[in-house]
Amino acid sequence: MSKLTIREVCAGALSLVGLLLLAAPAAAETVVLKGATIVFSDGKTPLKGGVILIEDGKIKAVGKLKGRNPIKIPYDAKVINVEGKTVFPGMVLAHTSQGLDRPNESVPVGPYLDVFDSIDPSKLFFESSLRDGVTSIHVIQGNDCLVAGLGRVVRPFGMTVDAMTSRAASAIKISVAGKRGYDRVRQRANLRAVFDDLEDYLEGLAEKRYAETEKEAEREVTVSPAKARELGKKLISDKDLDDKHRNLYRLVNGRLDAYVYVDRAQDAIFAVELAKAHGFLKRTTFVLGVETFKAVKVFQAAKRPVILSSSLDYRETDRLTGEETKTFVPKVFADAKVRFALLPGTQATSRWLWYQAARCVSEGISRGQALSAITSTPAELCGLGKRAGRIRAGYDADLLVLSGDPLELTTQVEQVLVEGRVVYDRSKDWRLRKLTSGVSKGDKKADGKKADGKKADGKKADGKKADGKKADGKKADGKKADGKKADGKGKPKKNEGGK
Amino acid sequence: MSRTVRAAAFWAAVGLSLALAPANAQEEAPVGETLYLHAQTLHTGRVVLHDAVLVIRGGKVVQTLPVDEVPAGAKVLRRAVVAPGFVLTELRAGFRRTEESLGARYLAIDGFDPHSQGHSLLSSGITTAFLHPGSRGLASGQGAVVKLGGPAAGRVLRSRAELCLNAGSGGMGAPYKFKIPFPSSSDVPILPAIPQRPLGRSGIVPEIAAKLRAALAYSRARQGPAATRPELDPNLAALAEAVLDGRLRFEANRVDELKGLIRLLRELGLEPVISGGLESYKVLEDLAGLGSGVIYRLPYGISSRRDRGERRLTLQPRWDTPRRLAQAGVPFAFAPPSGEAKNIRLAAALSVRGGLSRSAALAAITRQAAQLLGVGERVGHLGRGADADFVVLSGDPLATSTQVRETWISGQLVFDARAPLKGKRPPRALVVRAGLIVTGAGPVIRNGAVLVIDGQIAAVGSSVPVPRGARVVDAGPDAVVTAGFVDGYGHLGLQGGGGRELERAPLSKLIGSDRSSTRRVARAGVTTVVLGARSISRGGGRLGAIKTLGTPDLQDDLRRGFLLKEVVASAIDLSREDPLGKSPKALQAKLAAAKRAVAAWAKYRKALAKWKGEQAKKKAKARADLVKKRRPRAKKDSKKADEAKKKADEAKKKADAAKKKGPEKKGDPKKKPKKKFDPISGTWEFTMSGGPLPEPREGGQMLLKLEPDGKTITGVAKPPGGLGDDAPITGTLDGKEIELNLEVDSPFGKPKIKATLDGEDHFTGKLLLGPLSLDVDATRIERSVPVIKIEIRRGKSKDGRPEPPTAAPALDGFRLALEGKAPLLVRVAHPRVALAILKLAKAYKIRVVFVEFADADLIADEIKAAGAGVLVRPEASVVRGGRRVNMAADLAARGIPFAFMSQSGDGAEWLPLRAIGAVADGLDPGAALGALTINSARMLGISDRVGSLEVGKDGDLLIFNGAPLEATTRLERVFVRGREVPAEKE
């Protein structure tokens, strides 16, 4: 009974997921993607008629069937013919607080929190991520905190958080921007207090541990308290720490990555200096607000990558002269040679990562830089540097089968492979079909292929009306409309109207 | 390494990196390029140099040079007065209040945005400021010294400056403090809130003492073993650090606070900065002995809305305190009262009242202030190696009227008073100052000024505001400013005779493009010309008015264009009227017609108002009905609606198809189908050729309709190219012969078309128009019966809107006269006629102006009684008593109002000179000036715009170097609507 209820609640996601889980191979399987144009994330020349050999969910080899190093297809391989299609690495979402039942925005200092407890695998967000071609998602909570807890990298596929996880404890979030109700003075004073408190706690603990060790060795403590604190520091192990300080301790000890949220340019120096002073700058990724580009040189000097705000344009009016200036933010970072990852926005178009990358290309950023900003760079920033974001031997086989170039507006995600398994197939996308056509049976071909998922949401209302009006629209729409009419509803075709 | 030391090292590093970040870290400062700034007066902060050159390179002052040592070819900027950028010793950062009374851990620098540009205080010349964390509680935080503009990298001078403690009443009243236990549970109670001391005035200084001692004890104890180690307290740690670094600043105003504080400081061996210091003159010796500096808050605000001098306690502000501090050898700087930072210069100047030297007053907002803030090496002076932070002033730094023109920080211009505001067009402002302003209304103003904004006079008086970016013309003490001259009747630039044309076309179309003659007229001082026909029409004609500078294109924009008024008045020539006739018939007829027109317009206006009211009511009702109707409709089955829509679509398609095929199917569902072929109804396209037409005219259209009787034709003709009005057509069809009459007025009567149908959809024939005959060839392009809409001007349009009366431009001037808005210009020869006109004018209540009426003297009393006037050429003369005398002088002598006119085209140029001639002939110069300006304007009813220097009128100004109508006087400059008439090219 309960199973049935769940299925009813999130029918689309779970039926799809459940089906595929059943179909998933239990043991090692060899999969070959054959005949596609392979587009690489670093922008190098695409490989036409390429073959990708996948073993145990990892890419074994990338090449061609003929030529210098031909790939031999093993006899037992499951061959997926993707001729005429484009294969592109699964895109990586570097920073999001979606997929949680609710992000923490109320506990100002919560280093003991972990998104593990809050990720909800049944969220539609994961399903639509898959549909949009995102295969790795870094879920890390809100910027409206001081220290917001641990994040986690998940794949948008799986029944449980554990099954989805590709990297736990990915990073801890620190925000130097003003929490709601705090001004910067208070925010920073309290942030300093967090680390002062940690330092104080560790000193106390070190002194205690040193005394204990000496006592065990039946020795008297002879050194000064300052010396004892210094010596005792080496004796501290994770189990001595309490929940409140453990993750911070791992952070300052260089065992945990940091995501530092910098809302404004004025926070940049503070953020870098804070990370430097507490020894985690080398493991820090800066998550930026849109205006932060003014401090680009600070990040350049810090030699750290950044995650850019989803709004790519910044407009400002000069207070004295009234002159308005517009800045395309990624270009500033590209020119300064600061590596950056892009985030999707909330607008109808900017909610696709590939759209953000395409905008970068249109503003004069190289294709390689733009493509890596949605694949390899965010993968590295989430700690999946050797695993995701590229089509290269040894990497996870998280791949997208596209109908065309990844930055083309008309391109659709046709299939998504996660660890070599097809986890998404547009032709079987139950919800998409429902949304775009309103018809659930018997028109797989007509709808599944023609209905453009990328535009589906915006046009679903029109799709229902689909009348002669649509004839001058896009090809896909026109065909879809025809297909629908051919469906036998008794409506005359539009051309017959005058006869 | 201990925590404190490490933390200190860290923050020192932060401070260092903020303060000394290399110039290229964030924004390139102009390195390498050398700037030479030649100042007439240069205040370096230590000395005052005249005609010195400041050499700036890489945002720093390199040296000062005498003018002659500047290398040849160097780029030199010339400026009037240059002083160091002002240093504000107190800029409230304004962050939110925290609960702690001792909030020593808060840093004002945290709230500072080094990337922000365009701080409002830059316009006051303030370049450096101490960010003050606020004066709530015992300690509000640590301040910072920053620059308010310039490259982001170099803007923080001190990131951790003085910790601000409060020994005054602000130190009391911190909120109660309570701590929520963590983790909270039922076992751990939440304790009641603890009050934060001090609770009363007497406790403030002891509490400060206690905190200072506690902080020092805390920092010692933190080094000790765990058993005795105090709990972490960031505020005590920050306080201890500040004490050890000597970074303290105490706010104290009253003598008791100051005394207690000084005693404590002496005891602890501290030398902090004391701010406030209202009563510091009472403890001068103690202060001098202590060795600390005082930031003296100037006691009064200039722009304060309420009296800030007294709060709860009444303290006597004394302007002589700075002098006494200086005499006692106490280093001091000024802080403006709260909210008064923009008046820092003025506030400093006030201290000179109390006997302080001007140089010391200036130093108290520059060099001394910088030194007390601990940044005296870099800012507050313009010596070698200092930052190139300076202000360019219009005069002495402490002079009240001095304005800040530019502000520079690190060699970069960060504020420029003259920079135009983009996005919005700044108002074009002009200020003319002169020794004598002859306004033409009210008394003359000695040493006055006129402010013109966007071509309109905004202020006249002995002093006027000078808006930012205004052009200031200082004409000198001998100069005389008058309003621009008005030519009462001229033909400047008028093409042709200007008779009937003047009544048909807008003025802008009639004025030629000969700009040079117009400019000559303007240069002579005539700024407005009332434009009329070359000879006054006997049937009456209208007059317009133009400016002598501007462009015809902008005629719609009355404040910028050429045009002043399209219709000013009307003129009629009755000089040939029979003096024995009863009454001038022509005039009477015109006036009667005009009166009818006035009545018609009045009726129209009334009807229109009524119609509008009804319309509004209808709309409101319709809206109400719609709301009622909508509700049930929304509930209708959508399927049904779809079907209905489909049906409608089909019907429409069919109708469309039917239209294409022809009119035998029903064109309009309302019309009955016609079985018989209709050879006429439809849309015809016709071409005219032959006759006087050099080329065939194509594209004319006729909509024709055959009435059911099969003979009568009605329709409408649309002339080719859409020029002209639609013409109603009536006609007949007789077999194949068509006769059409077009209802069009033409000099030859109404045109007529006689044609023969020579096909189903074609006819050819002739268009007959008086003696002319044109070939007409017409083809039917659409057979459906057109809906013929003949627009009849009078009557009501479709929606019942009343139509305006027929436009009669020839009557416009008379209409204005009848409405009392304009005079009526009459040329008369005989006094008897003039009397008859005056009588008629009285009946119609209109004002009369006679044009060159030589015998005005005979009916002087009647003219005066009727309030009439006379327009004369200045050079006109009459014979009086056998002697030829100037006519204007004669009129003036008889008390008849008169004004000058040129009655010529570009001869208007000589109008002022001829007026001088009239003066030479005995006319009073004042009367002559009046006749050129205000009298002329009044007489012609344009005194609301020109004629005198009054607020709201056009900014037409003439600057003379002496008495205006003196032969020896030169007209120096002419402004028309605030724009200068360019001088003649040499």
Side-chain angles (χ1 to χ4, degrees):
Chain A
M1 183 63 209
S2 69
K3 205 176 174 185
L4 195 70
T5 319
I6 290 165
R7 191 164 286 179
E8 273 170 8
V9 170
C10 41
L14 287 189
S15 61
L16 188 70
V17 165
L19 237 153
L20 287 160
L21 275 181
L22 290 173
E29 197 193 47
T30 309
V31 181
V32 169
L33 283 178
K34 197 182 86 178
T37 304
I38 300 170
V39 174
F40 297 99
S41 58
D42 51 8
K44 72 179 179 190
T45 324
L47 185 66
K48 279 188 183 161
V51 174
I52 301 174
L53 178 64
I54 300 162
E55 263 182 34
D56 297 339
K58 300 243 182 235
I59 297 172
K60 183 86 182 298
V62 183
K64 286 192 166 191
L65 287 174
K66 290 169 190 171
R68 200 176 286 172
N69 295 315
I71 291 178
K72 207 182 159 200
I73 298 178
Y75 72 96
D76 61 343
K78 177 185 165 195
V79 178
I80 305 174
N81 192 351
V82 284
E83 236 165 274
K85 309 286 181 208
T86 302
V87 172
F88 186 66
M91 291 183 272
V92 182
L93 179 50
H95 177 267
T96 185
S97 56
Q98 291 189 82
L100 300 175
D101 67 346
R102 179 184 289 178
N104 161 41
E105 307 261 310
S106 52
V107 181
V109 182
Y112 44 84
L113 300 170
D114 191 336
V115 292
F116 175 82
D117 300 318
S118 188
I119 289 177
D120 179 356
S122 71
K123 282 258 171 184
L124 282 179
F125 164 70
F126 293 115
E127 193 191 317
S128 54
S129 294
L130 207 54
R131 189 176 291 126
D132 294 340
V134 176
T135 55
S136 291
I137 299 167
H138 188 196
V139 181
I140 184 159
Q141 46 191 347
N143 297 330
D144 197 17
C145 287
L146 296 170
V147 181
L150 297 183
R152 176 171 290 253
V153 187
V154 296
R155 291 203 169 93
F157 176 75
M159 296 284 273
T160 63
V161 180
D162 279 323
M164 293 166 81
T165 302
S166 52
R167 185 168 181 248
S170 51
I172 189 164
K173 168 68 77 65
I174 293 168
S175 175
V176 298
K179 177 177 165 57
R180 228 169 299 159
Y182 283 31
D183 59 2
R184 286 191 156 69
V185 173
R186 192 164 165 200
Q187 176 93 4
R188 294 188 190 176
N190 288 358
L191 210 45
R192 280 186 201 109
V194 168
F195 286 98
D196 286 353
D197 172 64
L198 175 70
E199 179 106 23
D200 178 56
Y201 175 77
L202 289 177
E203 278 175 1
L205 199 62
E207 200 178 344
K208 195 176 125 204
R209 285 290 294 128
Y210 183 76
E212 281 170 10
T213 326
E214 292 299 282
K215 204 177 170 187
E216 274 169 31
E218 294 180 355
R219 278 196 298 262
E220 284 288 307
V221 177
T222 50
V223 294
S224 73
K227 185 78 182 164
R229 283 164 208 157
E230 206 187 313
L231 293 171
K233 267 197 182 153
K234 292 166 199 154
L235 305 171
I236 299 172
S237 60
D238 279 7
K239 66 178 186 326
D240 300 327
L241 286 137
D242 62 6
D243 289 347
K244 204 177 158 189
H245 297 100
R246 189 175 299 114
N247 287 335
L248 286 173
Y249 176 65
R250 289 171 63 203
L251 173 73
V252 298
N253 253 10
R255 288 186 285 135
L256 188 62
D257 290 352
Y259 264 44
V260 177
Y261 177 59
V262 185
D263 183 36
R264 299 276 309 271
Q266 69 180 98
D267 301 324
I269 292 179
F270 175 80
V272 171
E273 294 297 337
L274 183 80
K276 204 187 265 175
H278 298 290
F280 57 88
L281 181 64
K282 290 225 165 81
R283 305 195 62 149
T284 297
T285 299
F286 294 99
V287 183
L288 304 188
V290 63
E291 186 248 16
T292 322
F293 75 91
K294 288 181 184 169
V296 64
K297 301 219 163 150
V298 177
F299 303 108
Q300 195 184 33
K303 297 195 176 82
R304 292 307 305 162
V306 296
I307 298 173
L308 298 183
S309 155
S310 58
S311 16
L312 303 182
D313 295 309
Y314 180 75
R315 283 187 178 78
E316 190 177 35
T317 309
D318 190 309
R319 268 199 276 170
L320 279 180
T321 63
E323 193 176 6
E324 197 186 83
T325 49
K326 191 191 124 183
T327 312
F328 185 69
V329 175
K331 187 84 174 95
V332 177
F333 286 89
D335 289 346
K337 297 195 167 61
V338 176
R339 277 200 312 146
F340 61 87
L342 294 168
L343 289 184
T346 50
Q347 304 275 306
T349 46
S350 69
R351 71 179 187 86
W352 296 299
L353 269 173
W354 60 265
Y355 179 84
Q356 303 283 73
R359 276 216 62 204
C360 289
V361 173
S362 77
E363 296 278 353
I365 295 173
S366 78
R367 191 177 149 88
Q369 231 168 338
L371 287 178
S372 57
I374 56 171
T375 52
S376 53
T377 305
E380 280 164 43
L381 302 189
C382 312
L384 300 179
K386 292 272 185 263
R387 287 181 58 191
R390 287 176 203 272
I391 301 182
R392 190 181 284 178
Y395 277 65
D396 288 355
D398 294 353
L399 302 168
L400 311 179
V401 178
L402 308 172
S403 64
D405 186 86
L407 298 187
E408 206 55 56
L409 195 67
T410 51
T411 299
Q412 298 156 1
V413 177
E414 302 210 329
Q415 284 182 324
V416 178
L417 280 78
V418 164
E419 294 191 297
R421 285 183 295 175
V422 178
V423 297
Y424 172 81
D425 191 331
R426 180 169 289 263
S427 62
K428 293 173 190 160
D429 190 340
W430 176 87
R431 198 187 302 277
L432 186 65
R433 215 179 327 155
K434 189 90 179 159
L435 283 172
T436 52
S437 67
V439 181
S440 53
K441 277 183 199 169
D443 56 340
K444 274 179 199 166
K445 255 199 164 173
D447 274 328
K449 283 195 178 169
K450 298 292 160 18
D452 188 349
K454 285 169 182 172
K455 294 161 198 130
D457 289 354
K459 289 196 174 158
K460 62 186 175 191
D462 295 8
K464 279 186 183 166
K465 281 192 230 159
D467 226 313
K469 220 199 248 174
K470 282 247 147 177
D472 57 341
K474 285 192 177 150
K475 235 187 205 171
D477 292 327
K479 280 186 187 167
K480 183 178 75 191
D482 283 357
K484 190 185 156 194
K485 278 174 193 156
D487 206 34
K489 273 200 169 179
K491 261 190 197 173
K493 276 188 181 173
K494 65 173 188 292
N495 295 337
E496 294 164 356
K499 284 171 195 170
Chain B
M1 198 159 57
S2 84
R3 199 206 67 80
T4 324
V5 175
R6 239 184 78 172
F10 158 44
W11 288 112
V14 172
L16 212 67
S17 68
L18 281 163
L20 303 175
N24 63 356
Q26 287 180 23
E27 212 171 291
E28 266 81 26
V31 183
E33 198 188 335
T34 308
L35 180 73
Y36 294 89
L37 184 80
H38 175 193
Q40 281 171 13
T41 312
L42 175 66
H43 297 260
T44 66
R46 289 192 175 80
V47 288
V48 182
L49 301 172
H50 294 283
D51 262 337
V53 175
L54 200 62
V55 185
I56 296 157
R57 197 179 301 130
K60 299 264 180 197
V61 176
V62 180
Q63 57 181 335
T64 43
L65 287 176
V67 180
D68 46 6
E69 283 178 30
V70 174
K75 186 182 155 198
V76 181
L77 294 177
R78 286 181 61 88
R79 296 290 185 266
V81 180
V82 172
F86 305 127
V87 179
L88 185 61
T89 50
E90 218 173 67
L91 177 63
R92 302 281 165 160
F95 62 84
R96 276 170 222 140
R97 194 178 163 184
T98 52
E99 294 104 49
E100 296 130 296
S101 176
L102 185 74
R105 68 193 177 104
Y106 295 106
L107 307 182
I109 192 69
D110 285 343
F112 175 66
D113 180 1
H115 299 274
S116 71
Q117 293 295 335
H119 198 285
S120 60
L121 286 179
L122 290 175
S123 61
S124 308
I126 295 168
T127 54
T128 303
F130 178 84
L131 295 181
H132 195 285
S135 50
R136 289 269 176 184
L138 216 50
S140 43
Q142 302 175 33
V145 184
V146 298
K147 291 194 188 183
L148 297 181
R155 280 181 63 178
V156 180
L157 298 173
R158 286 178 76 199
S159 61
R160 286 199 153 196
E162 276 72 29
L163 172 66
C164 298
L165 290 128
N166 205 333
S169 53
M172 303 180 296
Y176 280 41
K177 201 173 161 185
F178 71 99
K179 212 177 168 186
I180 298 170
F182 179 85
S184 55
S185 73
S186 55
D187 300 338
V188 188
I190 296 175
L191 297 168
I194 308 155
Q196 299 193 78
R197 289 162 77 183
L199 296 169
R201 188 177 288 283
S202 61
I204 297 172
V205 174
E207 185 61 24
I208 289 176
K211 285 285 192 246
L212 289 174
R213 292 200 173 96
L216 293 171
Y218 167 85
S219 86
R220 273 197 302 276
R222 283 286 291 176
Q223 314 290 329
T228 56
R229 198 175 189 218
E231 210 179 305
L232 181 72
D233 187 335
N235 285 321
L236 279 184
L239 181 58
E241 225 175 283
V243 171
L244 294 176
D245 293 355
R247 288 186 291 112
L248 294 175
R249 169 159 159 167
F250 284 94
E251 170 83 12
N253 279 304
R254 285 161 53 119
V255 65
D256 50 335
E257 297 160 9
L258 284 163
K259 277 199 166 156
L261 188 64
I262 291 168
R263 203 177 305 123
L264 171 69
L265 296 173
R266 214 182 273 150
E267 205 178 301
L268 294 171
L270 297 174
E271 286 179 26
V273 175
I274 291 172
S275 67
L278 195 61
E279 290 192 309
S280 51
Y281 63 91
K282 291 185 181 168
V283 287
L284 286 171
E285 277 178 29
D286 294 335
L287 278 172
L290 190 65
S292 40
V294 173
I295 290 173
Y296 178 68
R297 188 164 306 114
L298 292 157
Y300 271 129
I302 287 120
S303 61
S304 59
R305 272 155 286 168
R306 62 193 171 87
D307 192 346
R308 287 171 200 270
E310 45 181 325
R311 283 186 203 152
R312 257 174 288 170
L313 53 151
T314 315
L315 295 179
Q316 194 58 44
R318 297 175 63 121
W319 288 114
D320 63 352
T321 306
R323 172 180 57 83
R324 295 173 68 172
L325 284 169
Q327 279 169 352
V330 178
F332 66 93
F334 290 150
S338 151
E340 288 290 323
K342 64 180 190 320
N343 290 323
I344 183 172
R345 212 164 33 84
L346 214 48
L350 286 172
S351 66
V352 178
R353 285 183 178 190
L356 190 71
S357 75
R358 292 176 86 92
S359 62
L362 183 60
I365 56 171
T366 54
R367 182 168 48 83
Q368 280 285 0
Q371 275 172 4
L372 280 181
L373 297 185
V375 290
E377 286 290 306
R378 285 185 62 184
V379 299
H381 67 104
L382 293 173
R384 184 174 294 202
D387 287 7
D389 298 358
F390 58 89
V391 285
V392 177
L393 302 164
S394 63
D396 183 79
L398 296 182
T400 313
S401 64
T402 298
Q403 302 285 316
V404 174
R405 289 193 172 154
E406 291 168 16
T407 306
W408 294 66
I409 292 180
S410 301
Q412 287 185 5
L413 181 64
V414 291
F415 168 75
D416 185 354
R418 278 158 306 178
L421 284 167
K422 281 175 194 159
K424 203 173 83 178
R425 191 179 72 88
R428 197 162 41 84
L430 167 77
V431 175
V432 175
R433 291 200 186 106
L436 201 67
I437 310 269
V438 183
T439 59
V444 297
I445 301 164
R446 289 195 184 279
N447 293 322
V450 183
L451 168 67
V452 180
I453 291 176
D454 270 346
Q456 196 173 5
I457 295 175
V460 187
S462 47
S463 81
V464 297
V466 182
R468 197 182 133 184
R471 180 179 174 198
V472 180
V473 175
D474 208 338
D478 298 332
V480 179
V481 171
T482 70
F485 295 153
V486 181
D487 181 0
Y489 192 112
H491 334 293
L492 181 68
L494 198 65
Q495 301 289 293
R500 289 194 70 155
E501 299 95 319
L502 202 55
E503 271 154 31
R504 298 211 170 155
L507 269 184
S508 57
K509 292 249 175 359
L510 297 173
I511 295 166
S513 56
D514 181 13
R515 212 49 58 71
S516 63
S517 63
T518 315
R519 199 158 281 175
R520 274 207 310 281
V521 171
R523 240 179 256 132
V526 177
T527 55
T528 308
V529 174
V530 175
L531 213 59
R534 281 190 201 279
S535 54
I536 299 176
S537 154
R538 291 170 70 188
R542 67 177 183 171
L543 307 178
I546 56 162
K547 306 297 290 190
T548 49
L549 192 73
T551 41
D553 322 334
L554 291 171
Q555 49 131 347
D556 290 335
D557 186 348
L558 289 180
R559 284 281 168 203
R560 285 164 71 202
F562 214 73
L563 197 67
L564 183 76
K565 264 183 193 171
E566 189 73 46
V567 182
V568 165
S570 59
I572 187 164
D573 184 0
L574 298 175
S575 56
R576 293 191 210 168
E577 197 70 25
D578 175 14
L580 299 172
K582 273 185 185 169
S583 175
K585 273 181 193 150
L587 180 62
Q588 216 165 10
K590 280 278 171 192
L591 288 175
K595 200 168 185 181
R596 280 198 298 276
V598 170
W601 277 98
K603 194 179 155 195
Y604 164 68
R605 280 189 203 113
K606 209 173 157 187
L608 188 67
K610 193 182 158 198
W611 177 81
K612 276 184 179 164
E614 280 169 1
Q615 223 46 22
K617 265 184 209 164
K618 262 187 206 168
K619 262 188 193 167
K621 195 171 171 270
R623 215 174 294 137
D625 289 349
L626 201 64
V627 172
K628 272 182 207 163
K629 273 184 195 168
R630 259 185 198 165
R631 275 176 202 146
R633 194 183 286 171
K635 282 177 190 170
K636 263 190 190 171
D637 192 357
S638 60
K639 228 178 199 176
K640 263 187 189 173
D642 276 356
E643 271 169 26
K645 201 190 160 198
K646 215 165 80 187
K647 270 184 190 168
D649 281 354
E650 271 169 22
K652 203 185 161 195
K653 268 181 196 170
K654 272 181 193 166
D656 284 351
K659 250 188 204 169
K660 275 175 201 164
K661 277 179 189 170
E664 57 270 294
K665 270 202 170 180
K666 55 178 178 181
D668 195 321
K670 281 177 196 170
K671 288 252 159 141
K672 281 176 199 165
K674 272 188 185 169
K675 282 164 194 168
K676 217 177 145 189
F677 174 67
D678 181 341
I680 297 295
S681 295
T683 308
W684 295 77
E685 212 167 68
F686 68 94
T687 307
M688 292 188 290
S689 58
L693 292 176
E695 281 173 23
R697 289 236 181 136
E698 292 174 1
Q701 271 198 352
M702 281 187 281
L703 302 176
L704 298 178
K705 185 177 149 195
L706 191 64
E707 293 299 325
D709 61 4
K711 282 188 176 173
T712 320
I713 301 172
T714 54
V716 60
K718 295 184 184 291
L723 293 166
D725 295 331
D726 293 357
I729 297 174
T730 53
T732 52
L733 173 72
D734 188 7
K736 290 205 178 274
E737 298 299 311
I738 304 169
E739 192 174 311
L740 301 172
N741 295 308
L742 274 69
E743 300 291 320
V744 186
D745 279 320
S746 83
F748 307 110
K750 287 174 181 170
K752 184 180 268 187
I753 294 175
K754 278 190 174 174
T756 316
L757 280 167
D758 54 0
E760 277 205 349
D761 298 322
H762 192 258
F763 69 76
T764 51
K766 296 251 176 221
L767 183 141
L768 303 168
L769 182 60
L772 305 172
S773 164
L774 299 157
D775 292 325
V776 177
D777 181 295
T779 313
R780 183 153 64 171
I781 52 167
E782 174 78 59
R783 274 184 178 181
S784 60
V785 177
V787 179
I788 290 173
K789 218 168 81 181
I790 298 162
E791 293 205 359
I792 299 162
R793 287 204 177 269
R794 256 154 267 181
K796 290 186 176 180
S797 63
K798 206 167 80 181
D799 56 355
R801 188 193 180 92
E803 294 284 331
T806 321
L811 287 177
D812 281 356
F814 291 99
R815 207 153 55 76
L816 283 178
L818 281 176
E819 283 168 0
K821 290 173 191 160
L824 177 68
L825 268 65
V826 191
R827 180 187 278 279
V828 284
H830 202 281
R832 203 181 267 280
V833 179
L835 278 178
I837 291 166
L838 286 178
K839 204 172 154 194
L840 196 64
K842 199 175 174 188
Y844 279 100
K845 287 182 190 160
I846 54 179
R847 194 156 55 80
V848 173
V849 174
F850 295 112
V851 179
E852 289 228 322
F853 181 32
D855 292 334
D857 59 323
L858 298 178
I859 53 163
D861 292 340
E862 285 82 354
I863 292 177
K864 275 189 269 181
V870 181
L871 263 182
V872 291
R873 282 176 295 133
E875 68 271 25
S877 58
V878 284
V879 180
R880 294 273 181 266
R883 259 181 69 219
R884 188 156 280 276
V885 294
N886 183 280
M887 189 166 159
D890 184 59
L891 289 170
R894 289 169 205 277
I896 300 173
F898 69 98
F900 285 146
M901 61 173 179
S902 69
Q903 234 188 18
S904 70
D906 48 8
E909 184 187 345
W910 305 110
L911 185 70
L913 199 60
R914 283 175 178 150
I916 289 174
V919 173
D921 284 345
L923 179 66
D924 172 56
L929 186 61
L932 277 173
T933 54
I934 187 68
N935 281 357
S936 192
R938 276 192 196 138
M939 214 168 270
L940 287 147
I942 47 174
S943 59
D944 56 329
R945 291 285 303 276
V946 294
S948 62
L949 301 179
E950 284 175 276
V951 174
K953 291 195 182 185
D954 282 9
D956 302 342
L957 310 177
L958 311 180
I959 303 178
F960 294 92
N961 69 346
L965 291 179
E966 194 63 54
T968 54
T969 300
R970 194 170 61 243
L971 175 57
E972 302 268 13
R973 302 167 96 163
V974 178
F975 293 88
V976 179
R977 279 182 182 144
R979 255 188 250 246
E980 182 157 16
V981 178
E984 204 162 3
K985 275 180 200 154
E986 295 192 6

